[in-house]
């Protein structure tokens, strides 16, 4: 099957800053991919290259086998920028209609308003909308051409909790029809809840790429907590399956790649260990571990499939 889009060896430099440093990602039709990373990781620059707004110094972008510019030209890509300006004096319906007139095969305005969930303020002027409402209008504009690929840079940045919930409900309807979505976000919960796959960037590179659960699992597996009298951190970190140990006042917290081996080793070496508790690492912890500026962020890179 042809990729919905592919990025191959993308590099982009701004003066001294290597904003994107060899990004390669292939996405199949129907995938919903979250692009995660701390500020300055290179997410927006990558998205701009995918949309043909920025030209890569090296590397190639293909969208359904076409160049980014061709795909945009044919209305195959819907984009939602974080801060695109809306015409303040136009109503929402007028603005959608205006965008439709620029497309070869637009959806009917009424349908766009419905899909984006903005029908209720169709007759309000854009300048009178809240930040979150304006963001949903930008989403409507991205849907006008009924695109196969939607590219969203922090779509819910200005939305409150209810706005976000409604936005994602509209998105779900859209993705259920097999469309491909790439969205950048700082909200890890959004990646966990709505993406099939996460691509995690740091310093312009992809540091992890895979299903949400696998990325989470690859980082540290599980955390084991216990009260361990007479232990030392060195003694704990030497246990099988343990990658990191923190000990405070007899309370140990062990990051485990293999929690089964860790618990057996713990009880063997420290038979007085008590109150043992094992929890799965959340995506948030995985994110922090992978994007931290410490060697820890890279230490499992060779051993795990989703990490790079
Ligand atoms: N036009 C530009 N001129 C100079 N430097 C730029 C330009 N655009 C981006 N950069 C730099 O490139 C790096 C990557 O920026 P980018 O905006 O792609 O990151 P990001 O992951 O989207 O960050 P954020 O989460 O803060 O939006 C940053 O160091 C940024 O300062």
């Amino acid at each position: 099957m042809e990729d919905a889009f592919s990025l191959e060896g993308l590099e982009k430099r701004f003066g001294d800053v290597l904003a994107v440093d060899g990004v390669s990602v292939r996405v199949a039709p129907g995938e919903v991919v979250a692009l995660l990373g701390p500020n300055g990781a290179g997410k927006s620059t990558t998205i701009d290259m995918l949309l043909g707004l920025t030209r890569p110094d090296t590397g190639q972008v293909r969208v359904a086998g076409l160049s980014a510019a061709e795909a945009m030209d044919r209305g195959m890509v819907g984009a939602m920028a974080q801060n695109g300006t809306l015409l303040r004096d136009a109503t929402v319906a007028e603005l959608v209609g205006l965008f439709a007139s620029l497309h070869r095969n637009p959806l009917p305005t009424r349908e766009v308003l419905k899909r984006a969930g903005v029908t209720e303020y169709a007759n309000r002027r854009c300048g009178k909308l809240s930040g979150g409402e304006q963001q949903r209008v930008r989403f409507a504009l991205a849907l006008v051409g009924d695109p196969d690929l939607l590219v969203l840079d922090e779509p819910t940045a200005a939305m409150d909790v209810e706005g976000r919930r409604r936005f994602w409900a509209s998105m779900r309807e859209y993705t259920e029809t097999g469309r491909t979505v790439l969205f950048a976000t700082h909200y890890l919960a959004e990646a966990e809840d709505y993406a099939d796959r996460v691509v995690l960037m740091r310093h312009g590179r992809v540091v992890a790429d895979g299903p949400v659960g696998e990325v989470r699992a690859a980082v540290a597996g599980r955390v084991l907590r216990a009260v361990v009298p007479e232990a030392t951190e060195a003694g704990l970190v030497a246990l099988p399956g343990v990658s990191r140990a923190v000990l405070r006042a007899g309370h140990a917290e062990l990051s485990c790649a293999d929690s089964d081996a860790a618990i057996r080793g713990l009880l063997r070496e420290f038979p007085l260990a008590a109150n043992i508790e094992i929890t799965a690492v959340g995506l948030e912890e995985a994110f922090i571990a992978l994007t931290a500026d410490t060697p820890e962020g890279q230490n499992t890179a060779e051993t795990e499939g989703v990490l790079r």
Side-chain angles (χ1 to χ4, degrees):
M1 190 169 28
E2 186 161 62
D3 294 327
F5 72 87
S6 65
L7 312 175
E8 252 181 65
L10 290 188
E11 280 185 26
K12 183 69 190 179
R13 178 179 286 282
F14 297 106
D16 291 342
V17 179
L18 189 52
V20 173
D21 182 10
V23 165
S24 296
V25 173
R26 293 174 61 181
V27 171
E31 281 193 280
V32 179
V33 181
L35 187 58
L36 287 172
N39 289 337
K43 304 181 296 294
S44 296
T45 308
T46 301
I47 283 180
D48 286 352
M49 289 191 279
L50 171 60
L51 296 174
L53 302 173
T54 298
R55 189 189 278 275
D57 297 336
T58 43
Q60 201 188 36
V61 175
R62 304 296 283 174
V63 179
L66 305 172
S67 73
E70 277 173 298
M72 286 299 273
D73 202 40
R74 293 190 191 188
M76 294 159 67
V77 186
M80 178 171 158
Q82 212 184 113
N83 298 309
T85 352
L86 302 173
L87 291 172
R88 296 183 57 80
D89 292 330
T91 66
V92 173
E94 284 167 355
L95 188 62
V96 170
L98 179 66
F99 262 65
S101 70
L102 304 173
H103 275 270
R104 280 185 211 164
N105 297 307
L107 288 170
T109 296
R110 184 195 290 261
E111 177 67 20
V112 172
L113 297 172
K114 185 165 151 276
R115 287 195 193 183
V118 297
T119 306
E120 66 190 89
Y121 38 90
N123 295 319
R124 299 240 303 270
R125 293 189 194 287
C126 296
K128 301 281 183 205
L129 299 174
S130 73
E133 288 164 345
Q134 291 191 11
Q135 228 9 28
R136 304 196 47 170
V137 173
R138 291 189 188 98
F139 179 54
L141 299 180
L143 296 180
V144 166
D146 199 15
D148 295 325
L149 169 64
L150 257 189
V151 181
L152 315 168
D153 197 353
E154 296 185 35
T156 60
M159 294 179 195
D160 61 15
V161 175
E162 175 59 14
R164 254 182 255 162
R165 194 192 61 73
R166 289 174 52 186
F167 170 82
W168 285 112
S170 311
M171 273 292 283
R172 273 242 162 95
E173 276 177 33
Y174 175 83
T175 56
E176 271 165 11
T177 57
R179 313 303 172 82
T180 314
V181 179
L182 176 76
F183 67 95
T185 183
H186 283 134
Y187 297 110
L188 296 169
E190 292 191 340
E192 293 220 80
D193 292 348
Y194 303 108
D196 309 318
R197 172 175 167 190
V198 292
V199 172
L200 189 56
M201 288 186 71
R202 168 180 174 245
H203 295 326
R205 292 167 177 249
V206 175
V207 291
D209 178 358
V212 179
E214 284 183 27
V215 168
R216 201 192 304 130
V219 175
R222 286 163 195 275
V223 176
L224 187 159
R225 293 185 183 84
V227 177
V228 193
E230 296 172 12
T232 61
E233 277 186 3
L236 292 167
V237 85
L239 294 172
V242 173
S243 54
R244 202 170 66 99
V246 178
L247 186 66
R248 284 196 197 95
H251 290 260
E253 187 176 297
L254 313 178
S255 303
C256 308
D258 180 348
S259 56
D260 293 338
I263 199 164
R264 280 190 210 106
L266 178 72
L267 291 170
R268 191 174 59 237
E269 300 297 322
F270 302 98
L272 296 178
N275 291 356
I276 298 170
E277 183 188 294
I278 295 181
T279 46
V281 169
L283 187 60
E284 180 137 8
E285 281 135 315
F287 177 80
I288 291 166
L290 283 167
T291 56
D293 271 326
T294 62
E296 199 182 317
Q298 297 159 325
N299 61 1
T300 46
E302 286 93 28
T303 54
E304 302 288 351
V306 296
L307 303 184
R308 296 199 183 164

Short mmCIF file of all heavy atoms in Angstrom, two decimals, residues 1-7 24-35 50 78 147-152 168 171-172 174-184 191 193-199 208-212 214-215 306 308:
data_model
loop_
_atom_site.label_atom_id
_atom_site.label_comp_id
_atom_site.label_asym_id
_atom_site.label_seq_id
_atom_site.Cartn_x
_atom_site.Cartn_y
_atom_site.Cartn_z
N MET A 1 0.84 -1.20 0.00
CA MET A 1 0.00 0.00 0.00
C MET A 1 0.88 1.25 0.00
O MET A 1 1.90 1.30 0.68
CB MET A 1 -0.88 -0.01 1.26
CG MET A 1 -1.95 1.04 1.22
SD MET A 1 -3.22 0.88 2.52
CE MET A 1 -2.43 0.07 3.87
N GLU A 2 0.46 2.23 -0.75
CA GLU A 2 1.24 3.47 -0.80
C GLU A 2 1.14 4.22 0.53
O GLU A 2 0.07 4.25 1.14
CB GLU A 2 0.68 4.35 -1.91
CG GLU A 2 1.53 5.59 -2.14
CD GLU A 2 1.25 6.18 -3.51
OE1 GLU A 2 0.10 6.59 -3.74
OE2 GLU A 2 2.16 6.22 -4.32
N ASP A 3 2.26 4.82 0.94
CA ASP A 3 2.23 5.60 2.18
C ASP A 3 1.27 6.77 2.04
O ASP A 3 1.17 7.38 0.98
CB ASP A 3 3.63 6.18 2.46
CG ASP A 3 4.64 5.09 2.77
OD1 ASP A 3 4.26 4.07 3.35
OD2 ASP A 3 5.83 5.29 2.41
N ALA A 4 0.60 7.11 3.15
CA ALA A 4 -0.18 8.36 3.15
C ALA A 4 0.78 9.52 3.01
O ALA A 4 0.54 10.48 2.28
CB ALA A 4 -0.97 8.48 4.45
N PHE A 5 1.89 9.44 3.73
CA PHE A 5 3.00 10.37 3.49
C PHE A 5 4.29 9.76 4.00
O PHE A 5 4.27 8.84 4.83
CB PHE A 5 2.74 11.75 4.11
CG PHE A 5 2.80 11.82 5.61
CD1 PHE A 5 4.00 12.03 6.27
CD2 PHE A 5 1.65 11.69 6.36
CE1 PHE A 5 4.04 12.11 7.66
CE2 PHE A 5 1.68 11.76 7.74
CZ PHE A 5 2.89 11.98 8.40
N SER A 6 5.37 10.24 3.48
CA SER A 6 6.67 9.80 3.98
C SER A 6 7.62 10.98 4.05
O SER A 6 7.59 11.88 3.20
CB SER A 6 7.24 8.69 3.10
OG SER A 6 7.51 9.20 1.81
N LEU A 7 8.41 10.98 5.10
CA LEU A 7 9.48 11.97 5.29
C LEU A 7 10.77 11.17 5.28
O LEU A 7 10.88 10.18 6.00
CB LEU A 7 9.32 12.68 6.64
CG LEU A 7 7.93 13.20 6.97
CD1 LEU A 7 7.89 13.76 8.39
CD2 LEU A 7 7.51 14.28 5.97
N SER A 24 13.08 10.72 9.52
CA SER A 24 12.46 9.80 8.55
C SER A 24 11.26 9.12 9.20
O SER A 24 11.41 8.49 10.25
CB SER A 24 13.47 8.72 8.12
OG SER A 24 14.55 9.30 7.43
N VAL A 25 10.12 9.28 8.59
CA VAL A 25 8.88 8.69 9.13
C VAL A 25 8.00 8.29 7.95
O VAL A 25 7.85 9.06 7.00
CB VAL A 25 8.11 9.72 10.00
CG1 VAL A 25 6.76 9.17 10.41
CG2 VAL A 25 8.91 10.14 11.23
N ARG A 26 7.44 7.10 8.00
CA ARG A 26 6.47 6.68 6.97
C ARG A 26 5.15 6.40 7.66
O ARG A 26 5.11 5.71 8.68
CB ARG A 26 6.95 5.42 6.26
CG ARG A 26 8.19 5.67 5.44
CD ARG A 26 8.70 4.37 4.88
NE ARG A 26 7.69 3.75 3.99
CZ ARG A 26 7.90 2.59 3.37
NH1 ARG A 26 9.01 1.93 3.55
NH2 ARG A 26 6.96 2.11 2.58
N VAL A 27 4.08 6.94 7.12
CA VAL A 27 2.77 6.78 7.74
C VAL A 27 1.81 6.17 6.72
O VAL A 27 1.72 6.63 5.58
CB VAL A 27 2.25 8.15 8.25
CG1 VAL A 27 0.80 8.05 8.69
CG2 VAL A 27 3.13 8.65 9.40
N ALA A 28 1.13 5.11 7.15
CA ALA A 28 0.19 4.40 6.27
C ALA A 28 -1.18 5.10 6.31
O ALA A 28 -1.52 5.74 7.30
CB ALA A 28 0.05 2.95 6.73
N PRO A 29 -1.97 4.94 5.24
CA PRO A 29 -3.30 5.53 5.24
C PRO A 29 -4.11 5.05 6.45
O PRO A 29 -4.06 3.88 6.81
CB PRO A 29 -3.93 5.02 3.94
CG PRO A 29 -2.77 4.70 3.06
CD PRO A 29 -1.67 4.25 3.97
N GLY A 30 -4.82 5.98 7.07
CA GLY A 30 -5.68 5.62 8.19
C GLY A 30 -5.02 5.72 9.55
O GLY A 30 -5.68 5.59 10.58
N GLU A 31 -3.70 5.94 9.58
CA GLU A 31 -3.04 6.07 10.89
C GLU A 31 -3.31 7.44 11.49
O GLU A 31 -3.35 8.45 10.78
CB GLU A 31 -1.54 5.88 10.74
CG GLU A 31 -1.10 4.45 10.63
CD GLU A 31 0.41 4.31 10.81
OE1 GLU A 31 1.16 4.57 9.83
OE2 GLU A 31 0.85 3.96 11.91
N VAL A 32 -3.45 7.46 12.81
CA VAL A 32 -3.57 8.72 13.55
C VAL A 32 -2.30 8.84 14.40
O VAL A 32 -2.08 8.05 15.31
CB VAL A 32 -4.83 8.75 14.42
CG1 VAL A 32 -4.91 10.06 15.19
CG2 VAL A 32 -6.07 8.57 13.56
N VAL A 33 -1.47 9.80 14.03
CA VAL A 33 -0.13 9.87 14.61
C VAL A 33 0.02 11.15 15.42
O VAL A 33 -0.29 12.25 14.94
CB VAL A 33 0.94 9.87 13.49
CG1 VAL A 33 2.34 9.91 14.07
CG2 VAL A 33 0.76 8.65 12.59
N ALA A 34 0.49 11.01 16.66
CA ALA A 34 0.78 12.19 17.49
C ALA A 34 2.27 12.50 17.40
O ALA A 34 3.10 11.61 17.52
CB ALA A 34 0.41 11.92 18.94
N LEU A 35 2.56 13.76 17.15
CA LEU A 35 3.96 14.20 17.12
C LEU A 35 4.21 14.92 18.44
O LEU A 35 3.61 15.95 18.72
CB LEU A 35 4.13 15.14 15.92
CG LEU A 35 5.54 15.61 15.57
CD1 LEU A 35 6.45 14.43 15.29
CD2 LEU A 35 5.49 16.52 14.34
N LEU A 50 6.33 19.11 5.72
CA LEU A 50 5.31 18.19 5.21
C LEU A 50 4.26 18.95 4.39
O LEU A 50 3.76 18.46 3.39
CB LEU A 50 4.64 17.46 6.39
CG LEU A 50 3.40 16.62 6.10
CD1 LEU A 50 3.71 15.51 5.10
CD2 LEU A 50 2.85 16.00 7.39
N GLY A 78 -5.34 18.77 4.43
CA GLY A 78 -5.98 19.83 5.20
C GLY A 78 -5.05 20.20 6.33
O GLY A 78 -4.57 19.33 7.04
N PRO A 147 -10.08 16.48 2.84
CA PRO A 147 -8.75 15.94 2.57
C PRO A 147 -8.55 14.52 3.10
O PRO A 147 -9.20 14.13 4.07
CB PRO A 147 -7.84 16.90 3.34
CG PRO A 147 -8.67 17.37 4.48
CD PRO A 147 -10.07 17.47 3.94
N ASP A 148 -7.64 13.79 2.46
CA ASP A 148 -7.29 12.45 2.94
C ASP A 148 -6.34 12.53 4.13
O ASP A 148 -6.27 11.64 4.95
CB ASP A 148 -6.60 11.66 1.82
CG ASP A 148 -7.54 11.41 0.68
OD1 ASP A 148 -8.74 11.20 0.96
OD2 ASP A 148 -7.09 11.44 -0.48
N LEU A 149 -5.57 13.61 4.16
CA LEU A 149 -4.58 13.78 5.22
C LEU A 149 -4.83 15.10 5.94
O LEU A 149 -4.94 16.15 5.29
CB LEU A 149 -3.17 13.80 4.60
CG LEU A 149 -2.01 14.22 5.51
CD1 LEU A 149 -1.82 13.23 6.66
CD2 LEU A 149 -0.71 14.32 4.69
N LEU A 150 -4.92 15.02 7.25
CA LEU A 150 -5.08 16.23 8.07
C LEU A 150 -3.81 16.43 8.88
O LEU A 150 -3.33 15.50 9.53
CB LEU A 150 -6.22 16.05 9.07
CG LEU A 150 -7.57 16.68 8.84
CD1 LEU A 150 -8.41 16.50 10.09
CD2 LEU A 150 -7.48 18.15 8.48
N VAL A 151 -3.31 17.65 8.87
CA VAL A 151 -2.08 17.95 9.61
C VAL A 151 -2.39 19.10 10.56
O VAL A 151 -2.77 20.19 10.13
CB VAL A 151 -0.95 18.34 8.64
CG1 VAL A 151 0.33 18.62 9.41
CG2 VAL A 151 -0.72 17.23 7.62
N LEU A 152 -2.26 18.83 11.85
CA LEU A 152 -2.72 19.79 12.85
C LEU A 152 -1.59 20.12 13.82
O LEU A 152 -1.05 19.23 14.49
CB LEU A 152 -3.89 19.20 13.63
CG LEU A 152 -4.99 18.50 12.81
CD1 LEU A 152 -5.92 17.72 13.71
CD2 LEU A 152 -5.78 19.51 12.01
N TRP A 168 -12.21 16.56 19.91
CA TRP A 168 -11.77 15.19 19.66
C TRP A 168 -12.93 14.29 19.24
O TRP A 168 -12.74 13.33 18.50
CB TRP A 168 -11.03 14.63 20.87
CG TRP A 168 -9.66 15.22 20.95
CD1 TRP A 168 -9.20 16.09 21.89
CD2 TRP A 168 -8.57 15.03 20.03
NE1 TRP A 168 -7.90 16.45 21.61
CE2 TRP A 168 -7.49 15.82 20.48
CE3 TRP A 168 -8.41 14.28 18.87
CZ2 TRP A 168 -6.27 15.87 19.82
CZ3 TRP A 168 -7.19 14.33 18.21
CH2 TRP A 168 -6.14 15.11 18.68
N MET A 171 -13.10 14.85 15.67
CA MET A 171 -11.96 14.20 15.02
C MET A 171 -12.19 12.70 14.88
O MET A 171 -11.83 12.10 13.88
CB MET A 171 -10.70 14.41 15.88
CG MET A 171 -9.98 15.65 15.56
SD MET A 171 -9.27 15.56 13.95
CE MET A 171 -7.89 14.54 14.31
N ARG A 172 -12.75 12.12 15.94
CA ARG A 172 -13.02 10.67 15.91
C ARG A 172 -13.89 10.32 14.72
O ARG A 172 -13.62 9.35 14.01
CB ARG A 172 -13.74 10.25 17.19
CG ARG A 172 -12.80 9.91 18.30
CD ARG A 172 -12.97 8.43 18.71
NE ARG A 172 -11.81 7.99 19.48
CZ ARG A 172 -11.74 8.00 20.80
NH1 ARG A 172 -12.78 8.41 21.49
NH2 ARG A 172 -10.66 7.58 21.40
N TYR A 174 -14.15 11.88 12.00
CA TYR A 174 -13.37 12.05 10.78
C TYR A 174 -12.44 10.86 10.57
O TYR A 174 -12.34 10.31 9.47
CB TYR A 174 -12.58 13.35 10.88
CG TYR A 174 -11.64 13.59 9.76
CD1 TYR A 174 -12.08 14.14 8.56
CD2 TYR A 174 -10.29 13.28 9.88
CE1 TYR A 174 -11.21 14.36 7.52
CE2 TYR A 174 -9.41 13.51 8.85
CZ TYR A 174 -9.88 14.04 7.66
OH TYR A 174 -9.01 14.26 6.64
N THR A 175 -11.77 10.43 11.63
CA THR A 175 -10.78 9.35 11.46
C THR A 175 -11.46 8.00 11.27
O THR A 175 -10.86 7.09 10.70
CB THR A 175 -9.81 9.28 12.65
OG1 THR A 175 -10.55 9.13 13.86
CG2 THR A 175 -8.96 10.52 12.74
N GLU A 176 -12.70 7.88 11.72
CA GLU A 176 -13.40 6.61 11.52
C GLU A 176 -13.61 6.30 10.04
O GLU A 176 -13.85 5.17 9.66
CB GLU A 176 -14.76 6.62 12.25
CG GLU A 176 -14.61 6.12 13.68
CD GLU A 176 -15.79 6.44 14.56
OE1 GLU A 176 -16.84 6.86 14.03
OE2 GLU A 176 -15.65 6.28 15.78
N THR A 177 -13.53 7.33 9.21
CA THR A 177 -13.69 7.10 7.78
C THR A 177 -12.36 6.75 7.12
O THR A 177 -12.24 6.79 5.89
CB THR A 177 -14.31 8.34 7.10
OG1 THR A 177 -13.47 9.47 7.39
CG2 THR A 177 -15.70 8.62 7.61
N GLY A 178 -11.36 6.43 7.94
CA GLY A 178 -10.09 5.94 7.39
C GLY A 178 -9.12 7.01 6.94
O GLY A 178 -8.19 6.73 6.19
N ARG A 179 -9.33 8.25 7.40
CA ARG A 179 -8.40 9.32 7.00
C ARG A 179 -7.15 9.27 7.88
O ARG A 179 -7.16 8.73 8.98
CB ARG A 179 -9.03 10.69 7.15
CG ARG A 179 -10.41 10.82 6.59
CD ARG A 179 -10.45 10.46 5.11
NE ARG A 179 -11.82 10.41 4.65
CZ ARG A 179 -12.52 11.48 4.28
NH1 ARG A 179 -11.95 12.67 4.28
NH2 ARG A 179 -13.74 11.36 3.88
N THR A 180 -6.11 9.90 7.36
CA THR A 180 -4.83 9.93 8.07
C THR A 180 -4.69 11.27 8.77
O THR A 180 -5.04 12.31 8.22
CB THR A 180 -3.69 9.78 7.04
OG1 THR A 180 -4.01 8.72 6.15
CG2 THR A 180 -2.36 9.52 7.72
N VAL A 181 -4.18 11.22 10.00
CA VAL A 181 -4.01 12.46 10.75
C VAL A 181 -2.62 12.50 11.40
O VAL A 181 -2.17 11.50 11.97
CB VAL A 181 -5.07 12.58 11.88
CG1 VAL A 181 -4.87 13.86 12.68
CG2 VAL A 181 -6.48 12.54 11.30
N LEU A 182 -1.98 13.64 11.28
CA LEU A 182 -0.76 13.88 12.06
C LEU A 182 -1.05 15.11 12.91
O LEU A 182 -1.40 16.16 12.38
CB LEU A 182 0.42 14.17 11.14
CG LEU A 182 1.72 14.53 11.89
CD1 LEU A 182 2.37 13.29 12.50
CD2 LEU A 182 2.72 15.22 10.96
N PHE A 183 -0.95 14.98 14.24
CA PHE A 183 -1.14 16.17 15.07
C PHE A 183 0.00 16.33 16.07
O PHE A 183 0.47 15.37 16.66
CB PHE A 183 -2.50 16.16 15.77
CG PHE A 183 -2.70 15.09 16.83
CD1 PHE A 183 -2.46 15.36 18.17
CD2 PHE A 183 -3.15 13.82 16.48
CE1 PHE A 183 -2.67 14.39 19.14
CE2 PHE A 183 -3.36 12.84 17.45
CZ PHE A 183 -3.11 13.12 18.78
N ALA A 184 0.45 17.57 16.19
CA ALA A 184 1.46 17.88 17.20
C ALA A 184 0.73 18.29 18.46
O ALA A 184 -0.30 18.97 18.40
CB ALA A 184 2.35 19.03 16.72
N ALA A 191 -2.35 12.29 23.18
CA ALA A 191 -1.64 11.27 22.40
C ALA A 191 -2.09 9.88 22.86
O ALA A 191 -2.37 9.01 22.04
CB ALA A 191 -0.14 11.43 22.57
N ASP A 193 -4.90 9.01 24.29
CA ASP A 193 -6.31 8.73 24.04
C ASP A 193 -6.67 8.68 22.56
O ASP A 193 -7.61 7.98 22.19
CB ASP A 193 -7.19 9.80 24.71
CG ASP A 193 -7.12 9.72 26.22
OD1 ASP A 193 -6.59 8.71 26.72
OD2 ASP A 193 -7.57 10.66 26.90
N TYR A 194 -6.00 9.45 21.73
CA TYR A 194 -6.49 9.59 20.36
C TYR A 194 -5.54 9.10 19.27
O TYR A 194 -5.95 8.97 18.13
CB TYR A 194 -6.88 11.05 20.09
CG TYR A 194 -7.90 11.54 21.08
CD1 TYR A 194 -7.56 12.44 22.07
CD2 TYR A 194 -9.21 11.05 21.04
CE1 TYR A 194 -8.49 12.87 23.00
CE2 TYR A 194 -10.14 11.47 21.97
CZ TYR A 194 -9.79 12.38 22.94
OH TYR A 194 -10.70 12.78 23.87
N ALA A 195 -4.27 8.88 19.60
CA ALA A 195 -3.35 8.46 18.54
C ALA A 195 -3.15 6.96 18.56
O ALA A 195 -3.20 6.32 19.60
CB ALA A 195 -2.01 9.17 18.73
N ASP A 196 -2.92 6.38 17.36
CA ASP A 196 -2.54 4.97 17.28
C ASP A 196 -1.04 4.86 17.51
O ASP A 196 -0.54 3.84 17.94
CB ASP A 196 -2.77 4.41 15.86
CG ASP A 196 -4.16 4.69 15.35
OD1 ASP A 196 -5.10 4.56 16.13
OD2 ASP A 196 -4.29 5.07 14.16
N ARG A 197 -0.36 5.94 17.17
CA ARG A 197 1.09 5.87 17.12
C ARG A 197 1.67 7.20 17.60
O ARG A 197 1.06 8.24 17.34
CB ARG A 197 1.46 5.62 15.66
CG ARG A 197 2.91 5.70 15.30
CD ARG A 197 3.02 5.31 13.83
NE ARG A 197 4.32 5.64 13.31
CZ ARG A 197 4.65 5.61 12.03
NH1 ARG A 197 3.75 5.24 11.13
NH2 ARG A 197 5.87 5.94 11.64
N VAL A 198 2.78 7.15 18.29
CA VAL A 198 3.44 8.41 18.66
C VAL A 198 4.83 8.47 18.04
O VAL A 198 5.54 7.47 17.97
CB VAL A 198 3.59 8.62 20.19
CG1 VAL A 198 2.26 8.82 20.85
CG2 VAL A 198 4.35 7.51 20.85
N VAL A 199 5.16 9.65 17.56
CA VAL A 199 6.51 9.94 17.09
C VAL A 199 7.04 11.00 18.03
O VAL A 199 6.47 12.08 18.14
CB VAL A 199 6.49 10.45 15.63
CG1 VAL A 199 7.88 10.91 15.22
CG2 VAL A 199 5.98 9.36 14.69
N ALA A 208 11.71 8.18 19.43
CA ALA A 208 10.87 6.99 19.58
C ALA A 208 9.74 7.09 18.57
O ALA A 208 9.27 8.18 18.25
CB ALA A 208 10.29 6.89 20.98
N ASP A 209 9.33 5.94 18.06
CA ASP A 209 8.26 5.91 17.05
C ASP A 209 7.59 4.55 17.14
O ASP A 209 8.23 3.53 16.91
CB ASP A 209 8.88 6.11 15.66
CG ASP A 209 7.84 6.05 14.55
OD1 ASP A 209 6.65 5.81 14.84
OD2 ASP A 209 8.22 6.24 13.38
N GLY A 210 6.34 4.54 17.52
CA GLY A 210 5.64 3.27 17.60
C GLY A 210 4.28 3.44 18.25
O GLY A 210 3.89 4.55 18.60
N PRO A 211 3.55 2.33 18.42
CA PRO A 211 2.27 2.40 19.10
C PRO A 211 2.44 2.97 20.51
O PRO A 211 3.47 2.72 21.15
CB PRO A 211 1.82 0.93 19.17
CG PRO A 211 2.60 0.26 18.09
CD PRO A 211 3.90 0.98 17.97
N VAL A 212 1.46 3.73 20.97
CA VAL A 212 1.56 4.42 22.26
C VAL A 212 2.01 3.45 23.36
O VAL A 212 2.95 3.74 24.11
CB VAL A 212 0.21 5.06 22.64
CG1 VAL A 212 0.29 5.75 23.98
CG2 VAL A 212 -0.23 6.04 21.57
N GLU A 214 3.58 0.65 23.22
CA GLU A 214 4.95 0.13 23.09
C GLU A 214 5.99 1.17 23.47
O GLU A 214 7.01 0.84 24.07
CB GLU A 214 5.20 -0.35 21.66
CG GLU A 214 4.54 -1.68 21.40
CD GLU A 214 4.84 -2.21 20.00
OE1 GLU A 214 5.89 -1.87 19.43
OE2 GLU A 214 3.99 -2.95 19.49
N VAL A 215 5.72 2.43 23.10
CA VAL A 215 6.67 3.48 23.47
C VAL A 215 6.73 3.58 24.99
O VAL A 215 7.80 3.65 25.58
CB VAL A 215 6.27 4.84 22.85
CG1 VAL A 215 7.07 5.98 23.45
CG2 VAL A 215 6.45 4.80 21.34
N VAL A 306 11.03 0.32 19.27
CA VAL A 306 10.39 1.60 18.96
C VAL A 306 11.30 2.79 19.23
O VAL A 306 11.01 3.90 18.82
CB VAL A 306 9.08 1.80 19.76
CG1 VAL A 306 8.05 0.76 19.36
CG2 VAL A 306 9.32 1.79 21.25
N ARG A 308 14.83 5.02 19.00
CA ARG A 308 15.87 5.20 17.98
C ARG A 308 17.12 5.81 18.58
O ARG A 308 17.03 6.49 19.58
CB ARG A 308 15.35 6.12 16.89
CG ARG A 308 14.18 5.51 16.19
CD ARG A 308 13.98 6.18 14.87
NE ARG A 308 12.82 5.64 14.20
CZ ARG A 308 12.23 6.27 13.16
NH1 ARG A 308 12.71 7.41 12.73
NH2 ARG A 308 11.21 5.74 12.57
#
